[in-house]
Amino acid sequence: MGTETSHEPLILPTKEDDDNTFGYIKKPSILLKSTKWVLKIAMWLIFISWASFLVLLPSGPVNKLYTKFVTATDGTLFGVTGSIFLIYSGPVIIIAFLAIIYLKITDEEEIQEKKKKTASFRLWTFPVIIDGPFGVVTAAELIGIVLFGVYIIWAVTAYTITNISLLPLFEVTDAGERNVILLELTGLRFGFIGLICLAFLFLPVARGSVLLRLIDIPFEHAARYHVWLGHLTMLLFTLHGLCYVIGWAIQGRLIQELIAWKSIGIANLPGVITLLAGLLMWVTSLPPVQRIKFELFFYTHQLYVIFVVFLAMHVGDFIFSIVAAGIFLFMLDRFLRFFQSRKIVDILSVKCLPSGTVELVISKPAGLRYNALGWVFIQIRESSWF
């Protein structure tokens, strides 16, 4: 009993452990911190400028300035499409590029310095609405919902006033024809506002997006923003289509307009196909359908390819460039995930639990890095190729 025995520890302390024990943590350099702040300020300035432009665009002065800029680039090497892409999609691409650098620096900083965790108030996680049509809504989400709602009301009001002021330019005396023109102008505005919402629609569902990592929102939580934006976008696109359909029906040329496919300008038939694909995705994504027929919702949602392709055919390249950034980042994410998901693992055992849950024990693929509470997506081809 009195004999002392010594055992070699299972894990020997490293120099880093010794330093951390006594508080000697390597501080990040001033250059690293300065670069991080410069990138953060640059991204905020770009985003605020871009968002301010979108909000103020329905106003007369900003719209005239925008029209002059786009017109001035017509005939140049840059062209109208390039200028519209730069204005609408360029800021998103630039922010995404700067976010890659910012996150790389942040990772280096976290390696060098352990952050002291303290209790703090966070707008992203503080719930303000518990039971409502949007579910649990945090303070930041409520601010976003209010701002989007204010923007929609402001844009519809401003464009309606503009449409009424444009009527004398058509030199139409018949009241019925004036109403049809006003109806089509209103449909045009609904379509444009829908495109602005569509520019944001694909950003929350890019699972590996640097933008989601930048604002520290997990993709499974961001998916609800895609749902909210999807309802709003399809509502606007439906109103857009209805305005034109009613106007064409009044004029007695409904069928001719629906099947028209112009080589220059707006092609109507691709727009009809786009709207039908969108309506199918919208209806099958409603909670009563999604909960009962999830696979119907999932497979119908693959129509987004048809939706995007025919939307481009409907509006043309220069208008499609308004939404190009969000779609590009989403497709890039899908492309990367397609190649990342080519790893094949072996199923070691299968067990069906009394609750109906299937338990799979699979081999760990080489190089797999994971965290607690993380997600792993598994494709079982006997069940589905998607």
Side-chain angles (χ1 to χ4, degrees):
M1 292 292 293
T3 305
E4 291 185 2
T5 58
S6 61
H7 298 281
E8 185 178 349
L10 295 176
I11 301 178
L12 294 173
T14 62
K15 178 66 169 60
E16 183 181 357
D17 294 330
D18 292 336
D19 290 345
N20 291 345
T21 303
F22 293 100
Y24 302 122
I25 300 174
K26 184 180 178 182
K27 299 289 184 181
S29 64
I30 297 177
L31 179 62
L32 204 65
K33 284 189 172 183
S34 301
T35 306
K36 183 179 175 182
W37 273 105
V38 169
L39 289 171
K40 183 182 288 187
I41 293 171
M43 287 186 290
W44 269 112
L45 287 176
I46 293 171
F47 175 76
I48 292 173
S49 301
W50 178 62
S52 301
F53 163 75
L54 295 179
V55 171
L56 296 175
L57 184 59
S59 65
V62 176
N63 196 283
K64 289 179 182 178
L65 186 64
Y66 162 73
T67 304
K68 285 182 180 179
F69 173 77
V70 173
T71 305
T73 59
D74 189 15
T76 64
L77 181 64
F78 200 57
V80 174
T81 302
S83 61
I84 293 178
F85 178 85
L86 179 65
I87 293 172
Y88 290 98
S89 296
V92 179
I93 299 295
I94 294 172
I95 291 174
F97 178 75
L98 295 178
I100 295 173
I101 304 173
Y102 178 84
L103 292 170
K104 180 64 178 176
I105 294 174
T106 303
D107 291 341
E108 292 290 336
E109 186 180 18
E110 288 178 353
I111 292 173
Q112 296 182 11
E113 181 180 26
K114 292 183 178 179
K115 292 184 179 180
K116 185 179 179 182
K117 294 183 178 180
T118 57
S120 60
F121 174 78
R122 294 191 64 194
L123 290 175
W124 284 116
T125 56
F126 184 76
V128 291
I129 299 177
I130 305 299
D131 188 14
F134 296 100
V136 179
V137 178
T138 64
E141 291 168 347
L142 181 62
I143 293 172
I145 292 170
V146 171
L147 289 178
F148 248 99
V150 170
Y151 165 72
I152 297 298
I153 295 172
W154 146 249
V156 170
T157 304
Y159 282 135
T160 301
I161 295 172
T162 303
N163 291 342
I164 295 173
S165 66
L166 290 174
L167 284 177
L169 300 177
F170 291 91
E171 299 179 353
V172 177
T173 56
D174 183 69
E177 291 185 12
R178 286 171 62 90
N179 291 335
V180 170
I181 293 173
L182 183 60
L183 197 61
E184 292 185 354
L185 286 174
T186 303
L188 178 66
R189 305 303 187 181
F190 277 132
F192 179 77
I193 300 172
L195 285 175
I196 299 299
C197 296
L198 186 64
F200 293 90
L201 181 63
F202 286 89
L203 296 176
V205 286
R207 293 175 185 168
S209 172
V210 292
L211 298 178
L212 293 182
R213 288 184 57 201
L214 179 67
I215 56 180
D216 197 21
I217 296 181
F219 80 89
E220 66 274 9
H221 188 81
R224 65 197 308 216
Y225 308 145
H226 173 77
V227 174
W228 298 346
L229 285 167
H231 291 316
L232 179 59
T233 303
M234 283 311 305
L235 176 61
L236 291 167
F237 281 163
T238 302
L239 292 173
H240 163 74
L242 280 176
C243 287
Y244 278 99
V245 166
I246 294 172
W248 294 334
I250 293 174
Q251 293 176 322
R253 52 191 181 95
L254 177 60
I255 303 300
Q256 298 94 310
E257 291 291 346
L258 287 177
I259 62 175
W261 192 324
K262 299 177 183 178
S263 57
I264 299 176
I266 301 298
N268 294 340
L269 183 57
V272 173
I273 297 172
T274 300
L275 184 58
L276 290 176
L279 288 173
L280 278 173
M281 289 189 287
W282 191 20
V283 171
T284 55
S285 67
L286 296 175
V289 180
Q290 186 178 348
R291 288 170 187 159
I292 299 172
K293 297 287 186 181
F294 180 82
E295 288 196 347
L296 176 63
F297 149 76
F298 180 81
Y299 287 116
T300 307
H301 242 61
Q302 307 311 311
L303 290 174
Y304 77 87
V305 178
I306 303 295
F307 181 89
V308 169
V309 170
F310 280 91
L311 175 66
M313 295 180 182
H314 172 55
V315 299
D317 56 347
F318 66 97
I319 298 180
F320 184 75
S321 60
I322 294 174
V323 300
I327 294 174
F328 169 75
L329 292 176
F330 170 75
M331 295 306 297
L332 178 63
D333 175 73
R334 294 282 296 191
F335 180 78
L336 293 176
R337 285 194 289 119
F338 175 78
F339 284 99
Q340 290 170 351
S341 63
R342 296 302 91 194
K343 295 179 181 178
I344 298 176
V345 296
D346 297 322
I347 298 178
L348 305 180
S349 68
V350 183
K351 185 188 299 182
C352 187
L353 303 178
S355 62
T357 302
V358 177
E359 177 188 282
L360 298 179
V361 179
I362 63 175
S363 60
K364 178 178 175 293
L368 175 66
R369 294 191 302 171
Y370 59 91
N371 297 312
L373 302 179
W375 292 77
V376 175
F377 291 91
I378 302 173
Q379 177 199 45
I380 302 175
R381 292 181 179 176
E382 287 79 5
S383 297
S384 172
W385 278 83
F386 293 96

